Amino acid sequence: MVLSGQKVVVVGGSSGIGLSTAELAKNEGAEVVIASRNAERLNAAAVKIGAKAIPTDVTSDESVGQLFRQCGRVDHVVVTAAQLRTGPFKTVSMDDVRATMEAKFWGAWRVARAAEIRGGGSLTLVSGFLSVRPRPAAAIVGAANGALESLGRSLALELAPARVNVVSPGIIDTPIRAAMPEAARREMLAKAAAALPVGRVGLGEDIARQILAFMTVGFATGSIVYLDGGGLIV
Ligand SMILES: NC(=O)c1ccc[n+]([C@@H]2O[C@H](COP(=O)([O-])OP(=O)(O)OC[C@H]3O[C@@H](n4cnc5c(N)ncnc54)[C@H](OP(=O)(O)O)[C@@H]3O)[C@@H](O)[C@H]2O)c1
């Protein structure tokens, strides 16, 4: 078990990529803390995988500060938390685009500032393929992802000897699309899968394995890994 004796905090760990990462870290022997807003969902996830739950809202300085005061010094931190509100560029409300940046970008920024990560430990941020493969009506998400990738490289210098990396997922089947009607969601995922060289969309576990590699490969810092089943080359 490659994470025996190590402490891992997953912010956004109650669902999707974060939950898969928390579960993998736990299976690799780590002591795992998961953090997100909805306490009921968070506690259920924590019980399921044997992690500790600390309710946290990344849009609040105080909440993020409190999380890391409770955690103390840690080995690895992962940020997957995001609430994405988007729409056509000319009409999407400023409240929506600000809310997207507040959680996805400023949330990661707050976590990076508050976490005390041991030298050689790691911080992993999660961006997304829209930074390099934009699509209409999602400019704010692409911009947030691009900003996170730039932040990750800056922090790899400034937070050294802690290591900082970014993983950019393609389309991953997680509860992030839970608000879509089920039939439309399935159709969209099937279409996406058919267009990819790997013939399937991603699973939370695919991204979790990359994050585990960032935690355990001590030479990895300032890296951005695009993990998208070939989505960027089709
Ligand atoms: N799935 C994809 O296809 C895909 C593609 C590219 C990039 N990504 C990126 O990957 C990351 C993870 O996505 P996912 O698919 O795993 O999403 P998900 O299943 O919806 O999980 C998001 C997690 O973030 C938490 N969260 C949301 N807002 C929060 C806040 N303000 N404070 C604390 N926690 C918060 C959620 O719990 P609560 O709501 O209870 O707080 C949940 O635990 C996101 O940054 C997403 O943009 C995903």
Side-chain angles (χ1 to χ4, degrees):
M1 293 200 287
V2 292
L3 295 178
S4 282
Q6 302 197 35
K7 190 165 183 178
V8 172
V9 182
V10 184
V11 185
S14 69
S15 175
I17 294 167
L19 180 55
S20 294
T21 303
E23 193 166 16
L24 184 58
K26 184 74 195 170
N27 291 341
E28 289 295 342
E31 178 191 344
V32 176
V33 175
I34 57 174
S36 61
R37 293 167 304 175
N38 181 317
E40 201 178 321
R41 182 159 76 142
L42 182 66
N43 288 331
V47 168
K48 185 175 160 234
I49 65 170
K52 180 176 177 184
I54 303 182
T56 304
D57 183 347
V58 297
T59 66
S60 157
D61 293 354
E62 180 48 34
S63 180
V64 173
Q66 220 165 39
L67 166 67
F68 286 103
R69 279 194 293 280
Q70 285 182 69
C71 290
R73 199 171 148 86
V74 300
D75 297 282
H76 306 284
V77 175
V78 181
V79 193
T80 64
Q83 61 205 41
L84 308 176
R85 292 194 211 152
T86 187
F89 180 76
K90 290 279 192 180
T91 54
V92 65
S93 79
M94 285 308 295
D95 282 350
D96 283 349
V97 294
R98 286 203 180 97
T100 298
M101 285 302 276
E102 196 59 56
K104 179 131 189 176
F105 178 73
W106 293 114
W109 179 287
R110 286 185 186 93
V111 168
R113 262 162 84 125
E116 198 193 324
I117 302 172
R118 69 146 168 99
S122 72
L123 169 67
T124 301
L125 308 179
V126 178
S127 60
F129 70 128
L130 291 176
S131 67
V132 286
R133 182 53 79 91
R135 65 174 158 75
I140 190 59
V141 181
N145 290 340
L148 274 175
E149 289 168 12
S150 176
L151 179 67
R153 286 195 297 259
S154 297
L155 294 184
L157 290 179
E158 202 160 344
L159 299 183
R163 299 174 296 107
V164 185
N165 298 287
V166 184
V167 60
S168 173
I171 294 179
I172 312 297
D173 186 7
T174 71
I176 204 166
R177 296 180 189 83
M180 279 177 84
E182 183 57 14
R185 192 184 73 86
R186 280 182 183 284
E187 193 188 329
M188 188 281 265
L189 291 175
K191 255 191 192 164
L196 290 172
V198 295
R200 67 171 179 89
V201 296
L203 303 172
E205 190 192 327
D206 291 317
I207 306 302
R209 286 199 204 161
Q210 178 58 46
I211 295 172
L212 181 67
F214 282 150
M215 291 180 193
T216 55
V217 177
F219 200 51
T221 196
S223 294
I224 302 170
V225 169
Y226 297 94
L227 200 55
D228 47 42
L232 295 187
I233 52 169
V234 291

